[in-house]
Amino acid sequence: MLRWALIFFIVAVIAAVFGFGGIAAGAASIAKILFFIFVVLFLISLLSGLLRR
């Protein structure tokens, strides 16, 4: 999931360089959402791993 966030971030940067503001904003928001989902899933897996021990 972090890989997808990075891909959308790169798409947003490339779109911003070429002047596609709407596409850049959309890709950046998708990347931000995917990053936060990744962080939440990471914390859940970290806590579940600690509770199993």
Side-chain angles (χ1 to χ4, degrees), residues 2-50:
L2 186 59
R3 186 173 76 191
W4 282 105
L6 289 174
I7 289 171
F8 277 109
F9 176 73
I10 292 170
V11 168
V13 170
I14 291 172
V17 167
F18 289 119
F20 298 111
I23 296 171
S29 66
I30 291 171
K32 187 170 36 171
I33 291 169
L34 287 176
F35 176 75
F36 285 122
I37 291 172
F38 168 76
V39 169
V40 169
L41 290 176
F42 173 73
L43 290 175
I44 289 171
S45 67
L46 183 68
L47 289 175
S48 68
L50 289 174

